[in-house]
Amino acid sequence: MLILPPLKKLEHLEVLSLAGMQTVCDGFVNEFVVACGHNMKELVFKDCVDEAIAAFVETSGELLKELSLNNVKKVGHSTALSLARSSRNLLSWDLSCRNMTDEAVGLIVDSCSSLGKLKLFGCGQITNVFLDGYSNPELETIGLKMSPVLEHTWVPDSPEFPLRYSSVHPSL
């Protein structure tokens, strides 16, 4: 809460990372959103334990282009509903948490038609129900066991291209 007064003076603030700040509380997010939320385009809550993300999204979701909820422990149904209602312009979303269901993620993806990238690292609860059910054909989903993360990585077929520090000799 001590950082809130100086942040309120930044009238044109568009990006704020609160990553790793374990003391972020609902009161801070609510006051910040009222004061500065109208300009925010990116707000990172990585490794926070705050539950007021839904309030921020309700207020400023239409401005969001990217959202990282990576490892935010209490992201759940209310955040999903807020994102589905208010974040139609979201292009990239890093969920990478373990609390949203297939249905919640599907609701967001189906509602945010401009969403192009969804990161789901560590989201073991997301199943083929989601992967086979959402309606956004342009969405790139990465980070699940079922998705090939290294799909576009080129690996040489023959030893004529040894790794730089490889013990394989090029003449072999």
Side-chain angles (χ1 to χ4, degrees):
M1 293 299 284
L2 295 175
I3 196 171
L4 191 57
L7 284 176
K8 286 181 175 181
K9 294 178 183 176
L10 301 173
E11 296 176 16
H12 301 289
L13 184 66
E14 294 180 350
V15 177
L16 178 64
S17 175
L18 300 170
M21 298 182 87
Q22 296 297 315
T23 58
V24 172
C25 64
D26 293 351
F28 169 84
V29 174
N30 287 331
E31 282 192 46
F32 176 76
V33 167
V34 169
C36 304
H38 59 280
N39 286 328
M40 291 304 298
K41 293 184 178 158
E42 184 177 349
L43 184 58
V44 179
F45 288 107
K46 183 179 186 277
D47 293 328
C48 295
V49 293
D50 179 77
E51 294 180 315
I53 297 167
F56 168 75
V57 171
E58 288 286 334
T59 304
S60 302
E62 71 277 354
L63 300 174
L64 286 176
K65 302 289 185 207
E66 297 180 34
L67 180 62
S68 175
L69 298 175
N70 185 339
N71 207 22
V72 178
K73 310 243 186 303
K74 296 187 179 183
V75 170
H77 188 70
S78 60
T79 302
L81 291 174
S82 294
L83 282 166
R85 277 193 300 258
S86 306
S87 299
R88 308 280 179 181
N89 297 318
L90 194 62
L91 301 174
S92 176
W93 179 30
D94 184 353
L95 179 57
S96 299
C97 67
R98 292 155 184 84
N99 293 333
M100 280 202 188
T101 64
D102 287 323
E103 293 79 18
V105 176
L107 174 67
I108 296 164
V109 168
D110 288 344
S111 299
C112 301
S113 59
S114 61
L115 189 63
K117 183 179 285 185
L118 175 60
K119 296 178 186 177
L120 295 170
F121 293 98
C123 297
Q125 81 284 5
I126 302 298
T127 68
N128 284 335
V129 170
F130 164 72
L131 293 173
D132 297 337
Y134 67 85
S135 63
N136 183 345
E138 304 298 318
L139 182 66
E140 176 187 8
T141 304
I142 60 171
L144 289 176
K145 292 178 188 173
M146 284 100 25
S147 63
V149 175
L150 300 176
E151 174 180 323
H152 304 290
T153 304
W154 178 77
V155 179
D157 292 330
S158 67
E160 65 186 72
F161 299 106
L163 297 175
R164 183 174 184 179
Y165 298 105
S166 174
S167 60
V168 177
H169 191 272
S171 63
L172 293 178

